[in-house]
Amino acid sequence: MSALKKALFVSVLFVFVSAASAAELKPVKYVFLFIGDGMSIPQRMMAEEYLKKTQNTGLRINAMPQQAITTTYAANSFITDSAASGTAIACGAKTNNGAVGVNEKGERLESIAEVAHKSGKKVGIISTVTLNHATPASFYAHRANRGQSYDIGLDLVASGFEYFGGGGINGHKGSKNKEGVEQEDIFDLAKKAGYTVCRTQEKIKALKRGTDKVVAIGSETDLPYAIDASEDGLKLADFTKQAIELLDNPKGFFMMVEGGKIDWMCHANDAATTLSEIIDFDNAVKKAFDFAEKHPSETLIVVTGDHETGGLTLGFAGTGYASFIELLGSQKASLDVLKKTFADYAKKNPEASFDTMKALITEKSGLIFAADGKGKNGTMILTAAEQEELATKYGDKKYDELSNAVIRFVNHKSGLAWTSNAHTALPVNTTAWGPGADAFFGMIDNTDIAKKLKQTVIQPQRQRRVFRR
Ligand SMILES: [Zn+2]
């Protein structure tokens, strides 16, 4: 065959194959985007190691076939906040820290949720924190400042998205405007706009399929930490499952689900509570996989973090090459609850000595007070110096500091440490599964996530092989 004939043959073949693929492939019908706020590789690996040691399993999100290292910087800062990173992930453009759904000049950007909605899909926005917090807001709001809670609430109502679920709406009551006129409550405005507003868990649980537009408030503020939550309280996974049921329709849906409080306990350097938030988040992702198993050629699942928080590192100078991450399981309450528990105890028992407090510390944290004060690697036994520090904080009635020290010792016993109470510039990883997942590989930027997702919603995608663990 001559070179010319060969070239002709190849191009004809190419045209034939392309035409055939285009005819049978469609834009992706169901798209899930999960965001772990403050969740980078150390957070994911902490949970991976914990599950491996305690249950011989791992995170579902870490078993997804496509992986991409993802940079997170903001337009004006190497270290991003959740508004700039949320906007980058949602809209595909860099902006300054604090800005939501607008670029550095304050110009309106279009989010993947808005693109999906325009294309006829139903849209769900779910979070464990308030629904007008920076990350969820990035998908429907367009404001220069993430602190404009009421205005962001107005954008929520105006979005027309079909499902909002999880935490409350911060500042929903509004205030008097410049002319002295009371602003109308966001919940009332939502009802007028055709939303069914549920503000109790009973009402949320009773919602029927076919309910058109829903605002499902599981708490007036944020949902409780998974480590503190009651058995029957609604979790992130429950909202995800409900949204799937309510949004499923012939044109498909786009859903953003945020584990918003992973970040909060990374700020507080509480590894055990962070761990349980990540497992709670992973449980929500599993609901998407339950659905995807029924629609494997039509469902794309993408999981990312918006930035790292706390500078978590999976090693500690005191434990050398050893790790004891399973010890995190001995902590039974979040730092918030520890603070309250210790302060309440001291209030009720003003004359109590530190000795009587020890049992409570052991019950809540697993830390052990041994008389010899030697401590021991791989156990929760405190050293004499650690016991001394706790006794001093108690003696000084500094119960918040006492709680912080308890958490720090739990971290160190587990072989973990933190470097910051703020965010860091560490990249995150983005994992993907389903048609269109092939686009997520190598080193990408957080703005690429929206760009790639917009393509999957609009352009035909090749289905990828389904990998299972
Ligand atoms: Zn944060």
Side-chain angles (χ1 to χ4, degrees):
M1 209 188 284
S2 76
L4 180 68
K5 267 189 184 168
K6 225 186 236 176
L8 202 65
F9 176 74
V10 168
S11 28
V12 167
L13 191 71
F14 177 75
V15 168
F16 176 73
V17 169
S18 313
S21 313
E24 70 199 29
L25 296 172
K26 294 180 197 142
V28 181
K29 187 170 174 185
Y30 305 106
V31 179
F32 290 90
L33 174 60
F34 288 88
I35 303 177
D37 201 310
M39 184 184 76
S40 175
I41 298 162
Q43 282 80 5
R44 287 170 82 143
M45 282 313 297
M46 170 176 71
E48 187 76 19
E49 176 67 7
Y50 178 84
L51 291 173
K52 187 173 132 194
K53 282 268 187 75
T54 59
Q55 295 164 37
N56 197 27
T57 176
L59 286 178
R60 186 65 189 87
I61 58 174
N62 284 353
M64 296 166 78
Q66 292 297 122
Q67 305 262 341
I69 297 294
T70 311
T71 50
T72 66
Y73 61 91
N76 63 342
S77 174
F78 185 40
I79 299 178
T80 188
D81 80 333
S82 290
S85 58
T87 300
I89 295 167
C91 307
K94 292 291 185 194
T95 192
N96 292 337
N97 280 346
V100 174
V102 294
N103 66 15
E104 300 150 87
K105 294 175 200 150
E107 294 161 344
R108 188 186 175 101
L109 298 165
E110 188 173 45
S111 80
I112 165 65
E114 289 164 334
V115 171
H117 207 230
K118 252 195 217 165
S119 79
K121 288 189 196 307
K122 293 195 175 187
V123 172
I125 302 289
I126 300 166
S127 179
T128 51
V129 301
T130 46
L131 300 172
N132 52 347
H133 213 274
T135 308
S138 299
F139 288 81
Y140 62 79
H142 305 277
R143 301 287 170 176
N145 192 325
R146 61 186 284 174
Q148 293 169 265
S149 301
Y150 183 82
D151 298 333
I152 293 173
L154 293 177
D155 290 352
L156 182 152
V157 174
S159 73
F161 293 172
E162 285 76 7
Y163 187 89
F164 288 94
I169 295 178
N170 187 30
H172 62 87
K173 285 184 182 148
S175 54
K176 280 188 182 139
N177 66 14
K178 282 175 203 150
E179 290 78 41
V181 181
E182 285 290 345
Q183 290 171 319
E184 200 168 348
D185 193 294
I186 296 293
F187 290 120
D188 293 336
L189 291 171
K191 282 178 205 159
K192 281 185 189 166
Y195 281 95
T196 300
V197 177
C198 304
R199 288 171 76 177
T200 65
Q201 298 217 350
E202 289 65 38
K203 281 189 181 154
I204 295 171
K205 286 173 189 167
L207 272 168
K208 294 269 179 323
R209 272 176 207 241
T211 313
D212 189 25
K213 292 199 300 181
V214 172
V215 178
I217 303 297
S219 156
E220 287 297 313
T221 54
D222 39 273
L223 298 180
Y225 288 109
I227 200 171
D228 302 324
S230 65
E231 281 279 313
D232 60 344
L234 289 173
K235 311 274 194 313
L236 193 63
D238 299 313
F239 286 99
T240 306
K241 185 165 175 275
Q242 178 169 67
I244 291 170
E245 288 166 7
L246 293 177
L247 297 180
D248 192 8
N249 78 98
K251 287 193 163 174
F253 58 69
F254 169 83
M255 200 184 299
M256 191 292 295
V257 184
E258 186 205 17
K261 294 177 81 172
I262 298 167
D263 173 68
W264 294 13
M265 277 295 131
C266 290
H267 278 285
N269 293 175
D270 178 345
T273 304
T274 300
L275 168 73
S276 72
E277 286 302 293
I278 289 175
I279 293 171
D280 186 66
F281 176 74
D282 199 57
N283 288 337
V285 178
K286 284 177 184 165
K287 296 296 175 193
F289 274 103
D290 290 347
F291 177 80
E293 273 178 17
K294 291 176 217 142
H295 310 270
S297 63
E298 300 177 300
T299 310
L300 170 64
I301 303 173
V302 176
V303 182
T304 193
D306 58 350
H307 50 74
E308 200 277 339
T309 304
L312 174 63
T313 183
L314 304 183
F316 175 59
T319 48
Y321 279 74
S323 292
F324 309 102
I325 290 175
E326 67 279 7
L327 292 177
L328 290 175
S330 52
Q331 187 182 315
K332 300 298 178 208
S334 69
L335 176 61
D336 290 4
V337 168
L338 290 189
K339 284 178 179 171
K340 193 175 175 327
T341 305
F342 297 153
D344 285 354
Y345 176 82
K347 208 173 173 187
K348 273 189 207 142
N349 308 281
E351 304 302 323
S353 70
F354 182 61
D355 276 345
T356 65
M357 181 75 172
K358 286 178 182 172
L360 190 59
I361 293 177
T362 299
E363 183 197 322
K364 297 292 175 193
S365 69
L367 291 171
I368 298 164
F369 295 83
D372 69 6
K374 280 185 179 158
K376 191 165 182 266
N377 256 357
T379 74
M380 295 297 276
I381 302 173
L382 291 159
T383 64
E386 289 165 343
Q387 294 189 39
E388 177 68 31
E389 185 178 336
L390 296 178
T392 307
K393 305 279 186 212
Y394 182 76
D396 294 347
K397 302 190 192 303
K398 292 180 174 164
Y399 308 115
D400 280 6
E401 288 185 22
L402 171 73
S403 310
N404 287 333
V406 164
I407 295 294
R408 177 157 40 87
F409 298 151
V410 172
N411 294 339
H412 291 174
K413 303 277 172 210
S414 308
L416 305 166
W418 304 79
T419 63
S420 174
N421 288 110
H423 300 173
T424 74
L426 195 71
V428 297
N429 58 339
T430 302
T431 47
W433 180 99
D438 312 54
F440 295 88
F441 69 95
M443 181 116 173
I444 64 171
D445 182 59
N446 57 5
T447 51
D448 292 325
I449 297 172
K451 290 174 193 162
K452 291 174 194 297
L453 286 177
K454 282 177 185 175
Q455 278 172 13
T456 65
V457 168
I458 296 160
Q459 291 170 3
Q461 299 294 319
R462 191 176 298 279
Q463 195 205 341
R464 71 164 288 114
R465 245 185 78 204
V466 175
F467 290 90
R468 290 236 170 69
R469 178 175 266 213

